[in-house]
Amino acid sequence: MNFLDAKNEIQRLLSRVSPRELPRLVDWMKNADQLEDVLVDNQKVILQNISDNLRTCLPIEAVLPSETTAIQKTQIQKRPTVHVDGFLYDEDTVESLCEEGKMSRSYCLNCGSQRTAPLEFISHSFSIAELRFLYQNVLPDLTGKVLLDVGSRLGAVLYGGFLYSSAARLVGVEITEDFVKLQRMIVDKYGFTDRVQVLHADVCSQDALVCNADVLVMNNVFEYFMKPSEQIKAWQFIIHHFRKKGSLLVTVPSLQESLSALQVEVPDFGCWVEELPLEYDVYLGKDNDPDSLRELHLYRVL
């Protein structure tokens, strides 16, 4: 049953409900846990299991000591900021950790006082809900296509692509060796090896791979991990090599935001890519953050 048929069926059902009972039914539809269960599929369960596995292998902030640039970048934000990986920690997990005293949502404005303010949370990974949105609502059918995730980190985009798409190949390029090892461990453990490949490399050394990719995913990939001069070099490489007509580029944040912050000018920007409209008003569960979906942007190479 497609969306329109389902919508009409629900409207017909509601029209037969007693006016006195209708508000109760609508409230139940909005808040009942039973309806949340409908949204839990096997793919989501597998991704949750992978998330559980990875949490046991990483410090709670999921940032390695070797990631000095990311640590320094987090420390100089205007508001106190902590990294809470969206793939590892859903809202329920964060709440549990806060109750256990292992994580906090706020910081003290004056040491020893009761005046507090909310901490800023950032994530370098898509959440499970965002992965579903990416593959079910943003990207088209990927049968026979090659998807490249630049800075694949924990591998969330690759695992989501294996479970939620028919992409022929899902390739992650990651420069940090420890993250490469973690991804390869998960790929082997869950039997993803026939379609998923993780490369330990700098993306700027992967000319042919970037040139031939059908989909390129870039989620906060450079800003927190490279000096500005290195970011500019990496963006220039992407702009020069990702030119196959019809290929798709997914970015967080938008290209305009990333490039303007670095004062990178693309003389033929309007001839390189066009941004495609997305439908963000999609219900993915009670824990979904609609604002986070609006950070995703889709472009097509002209």
Side-chain angles (χ1 to χ4, degrees):
M1 184 182 295
N2 61 32
F3 170 74
L4 184 59
D5 290 341
K7 178 181 175 182
N8 291 336
E9 192 70 24
I10 291 172
Q11 287 175 331
R12 282 194 291 270
L13 173 63
L14 293 176
S15 69
R16 300 199 300 270
V17 177
S18 163
R20 177 177 295 184
E21 298 296 333
L22 187 58
R24 290 179 58 196
L25 178 60
V26 172
D27 182 70
W28 176 82
M29 292 174 68
K30 288 180 177 180
N31 301 296
D33 290 337
Q34 294 98 316
L35 291 183
E36 286 295 305
D37 293 341
V38 174
L39 297 174
V40 177
D41 51 30
N42 289 335
Q43 291 88 346
K44 182 177 180 179
V45 171
I46 294 171
L47 289 173
Q48 289 171 331
N49 287 338
I50 294 173
S51 174
D52 292 343
N53 290 161
L54 288 172
R55 279 202 303 273
T56 66
C57 304
L58 291 162
I60 195 166
E61 68 275 11
V63 176
L64 301 179
S66 60
E67 296 184 287
T68 53
T69 302
I71 294 170
Q72 292 170 359
K73 182 81 174 180
T74 301
Q75 292 173 341
I76 64 172
Q77 296 301 300
K78 292 180 180 179
R79 291 176 54 185
T81 301
V82 293
H83 179 243
V84 179
D85 192 277
F87 183 64
L88 298 183
Y89 302 103
D90 61 16
E91 187 62 25
D92 288 341
T93 308
V94 170
E95 190 63 35
S96 296
L97 290 171
C98 288
E99 290 175 358
E100 295 170 12
K102 297 178 180 178
M103 187 179 289
S104 176
R105 295 181 184 273
S106 59
Y107 67 99
C108 183
L109 291 170
N110 299 107
C111 186
S113 78
Q114 293 183 340
R115 294 181 63 235
T116 62
L119 283 164
E120 190 78 16
F121 284 3
I122 60 167
S123 173
H124 302 309
S125 299
F126 287 129
S127 67
I128 294 176
E130 289 165 350
L131 291 172
R132 287 182 59 205
F133 179 68
L134 173 65
Y135 287 107
Q136 296 181 346
N137 301 94
V138 174
L139 295 172
D141 179 16
L142 298 183
T143 300
K145 304 298 185 180
V146 175
L147 180 145
L148 173 60
D149 183 21
V150 179
S152 51
R153 199 167 180 82
L154 301 182
V157 169
L158 306 179
Y159 317 141
F162 187 93
L163 295 166
Y164 284 124
S165 85
S166 299
R169 286 181 65 211
L170 299 142
V171 184
V173 175
E174 174 54 53
I175 201 167
T176 303
E177 185 176 8
D178 287 337
F179 285 136
V180 172
K181 291 177 179 177
L182 281 177
Q183 291 176 79
R184 288 175 176 171
M185 175 194 74
I186 295 296
V187 169
D188 290 340
K189 180 174 181 176
Y190 285 85
F192 296 162
T193 53
D194 58 327
R195 292 167 53 210
V196 176
Q197 180 183 14
V198 182
L199 302 178
H200 180 207
D202 182 334
V203 69
C204 292
S205 69
Q206 301 298 310
D207 308 41
L209 188 57
V210 174
C211 286
N212 293 314
D214 299 296
V215 179
L216 196 67
V217 179
M218 302 177 68
N219 179 19
N220 282 331
V221 68
F222 299 140
E223 180 185 358
Y224 278 82
F225 307 102
M226 294 179 173
K227 298 176 182 177
S229 59
E230 296 171 334
Q231 293 181 52
I232 292 171
K233 177 184 175 183
W235 273 114
Q236 289 173 338
F237 174 86
I238 295 294
I239 293 166
H240 179 73
H241 289 88
F242 191 62
R243 291 276 176 169
K244 187 166 72 170
K245 186 176 180 179
S247 295
L248 298 174
L249 173 63
V250 178
T251 70
V252 175
S254 69
L255 278 176
Q256 290 84 346
E257 182 176 339
S258 294
L259 297 176
S260 63
L262 295 168
Q263 298 183 326
V264 174
E265 294 186 6
V266 184
D268 63 341
F269 186 88
C271 300
W272 173 42
V273 294
E274 62 174 345
E275 184 164 8
L276 302 178
L278 296 177
E279 176 55 63
Y280 295 106
D281 295 326
V282 178
Y283 184 74
L284 298 170
K286 288 190 293 187
D287 290 338
N288 177 54
D289 179 6
D291 290 337
S292 70
L293 300 184
R294 296 183 185 278
E295 290 291 310
L296 276 78
H297 295 264
L298 177 66
Y299 304 86
R300 179 169 55 210
V301 177
L302 299 172

